[in-house]
């Protein structure tokens, strides 16, 4: 069993905590927040989603299934913009999901798109990287919930060049019918809506930064040097 209760998570999401694997610095372990159970998650949902079984609110379980289905169906190419999912591991905080921990070429944990834009601005290199990600999303019809800037990592080279953007959360769709069984025109429309909302969020965040507003702590890494 992996002991994480005395370790410091390097990131915290709405439902989960993220830890660096103590023996493998290239592996992230995602566990549920102990203060936010599956019952709490279901309770937050409105009718009829709150009628679904508890297992359907398990982010780790869904993420593992979705990513592995995408790899099997679309091939290894999906791992350019979606992180690798390795399986489950027992921890003292419950079942954890072991995933790729994206690090820059200098070894530091890659920052989120939100943090990158806040620190460097929405420059041309960043815009090109976003365009590439969204072209990939359209081409491969990737099922996702809303794309959020704090759930997209910016993988950088030693010279600061952006190698790729990597989506690390929010994959899958809320439909009862499996996404790939939906009509293709519907899947195209669904993906396009997610892209439009994502671009809208970026534009809003860029404007907030221009006006000098401080971003929330969500997705901002204060220590990117863990386990170097």
């Amino acid at each position: 069993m992996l002991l994480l209760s005395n370790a410091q998570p390097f990131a915290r999401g709405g439902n989960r905590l993220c830890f660096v694997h103590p023996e493998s610095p290239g592996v992230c372990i995602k566990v549920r927040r102990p203060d936010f159970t599956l019952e709490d998650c279901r309770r937050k949902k409105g009718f009829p989603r709150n009628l679904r079984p508890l297992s359907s609110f398990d982010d780790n379980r869904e993420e593992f299934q979705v990513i592995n289905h995408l790899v099997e169906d679309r091939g290894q190419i999906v791992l350019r913009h979606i992180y690798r999912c390795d399986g489950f591991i027992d921890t003292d905080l419950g079942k954890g999901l072991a995933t790729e921990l994206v690090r820059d070429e200098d070894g530091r944990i890659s920052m989120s798109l939100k943090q990158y834009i806040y620190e460097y601005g929405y420059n041309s290199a960043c815009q090109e990287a976003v365009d590439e990600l969204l072209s990939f999303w359209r081409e491969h019809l990737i099922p996702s919930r809303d794309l959020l800037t704090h759930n997209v990592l910016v993988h950088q080279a030693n010279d600061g060049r952006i190698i790729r953007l990597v989506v690390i959360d929010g994959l899958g769709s809320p439909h009862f019918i499996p996404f790939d069984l939906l009509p293709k025109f519907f899947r195209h429309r669904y993906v396009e809506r997610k892209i439009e909302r994502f671009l809208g969020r970026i534009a809003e965040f860029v404007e907030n930064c221009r006006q000098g507003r401080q971003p929330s702590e969500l997705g901002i890494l204060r220590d990117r040097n863990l386990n170097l």
Side-chain angles (χ1 to χ4, degrees):
M1 177 181 289
L2 202 61
L3 302 180
L4 297 177
S5 56
N6 292 324
Q8 180 69 27
F10 71 87
R12 175 188 296 265
N15 300 334
R16 293 178 289 181
L17 301 175
C18 298
F19 295 88
V20 177
H21 192 300
E23 299 169 2
S24 302
V27 175
C28 167
I29 305 295
K30 288 186 173 185
V31 298
R32 287 204 64 81
R33 283 172 40 195
D35 60 326
F36 194 69
T37 65
L38 291 178
E39 289 84 355
D40 293 330
C41 189
R42 180 165 65 179
R43 207 160 22 243
K44 281 183 62 178
K45 304 298 181 182
F47 180 85
R49 291 192 67 196
N50 57 6
L51 300 179
R52 291 163 55 184
L54 273 181
S55 60
S56 67
F57 296 93
D58 186 339
D59 296 331
N60 279 348
R61 175 176 169 272
E62 180 182 21
E63 203 163 278
F64 179 76
Q65 291 176 339
V66 169
I67 292 176
N68 280 280
H69 169 73
L70 288 172
V71 171
E72 290 172 5
D73 186 68
R74 292 150 170 85
Q76 292 287 321
I77 186 66
V78 299
L79 297 180
R80 172 162 177 77
H81 292 294
I82 296 172
Y83 70 159
R84 190 185 69 252
C85 227
D86 296 326
F88 294 93
I89 188 168
D90 290 323
T91 83
D92 59 345
L93 295 177
K95 190 76 75 175
L97 180 63
T99 73
E100 172 189 7
L101 177 53
V102 183
R103 290 182 180 269
D104 293 345
E105 285 188 344
D106 63 8
R108 294 192 300 167
I109 297 173
S110 296
M111 68 174 67
S112 68
L113 178 61
K114 174 182 177 179
Q115 184 169 356
Y116 182 95
I117 292 173
Y118 180 68
E119 294 189 7
Y120 300 108
Y122 195 39
N123 54 45
S124 59
C126 188
Q127 292 175 43
E128 289 174 8
V130 167
D131 288 344
E132 180 187 337
L133 171 67
L134 299 184
S135 293
F136 170 88
W137 230 244
R138 290 185 178 103
E139 179 182 355
H140 296 283
L141 292 177
I142 304 297
S144 66
R145 293 175 170 79
D146 285 338
L147 292 167
L148 305 173
T149 55
H150 64 266
N151 287 335
V152 179
L153 298 186
V154 182
H155 182 203
Q156 296 181 77
N158 284 328
D159 59 4
R161 175 177 51 87
I162 297 177
I163 299 171
R164 60 178 178 146
L165 300 185
V166 185
V167 177
I168 60 165
D169 202 356
L171 295 166
S173 75
H175 301 289
F176 289 103
I177 302 173
F179 183 79
D180 284 351
L181 296 182
L182 295 169
K184 195 167 186 178
F185 80 89
F186 182 89
R187 285 180 279 149
H188 276 288
R189 188 172 63 181
Y190 180 87
V191 167
E192 204 59 42
R193 281 202 305 266
K194 297 303 179 184
I195 288 173
E196 289 172 4
R197 291 178 185 173
F198 182 54
L199 292 173
R201 287 187 180 90
I202 291 176
E204 182 180 9
F205 184 66
V206 169
E207 179 60 21
N208 287 340
C209 291
R210 189 187 68 80
Q211 294 181 13
R213 297 176 185 168
Q214 291 289 319
S216 69
E217 291 293 314
L218 192 62
I220 303 295
L221 292 182
R222 298 305 178 190
D223 182 5
R224 298 174 54 213
N225 299 298
L226 287 174
N227 287 29
L228 278 181

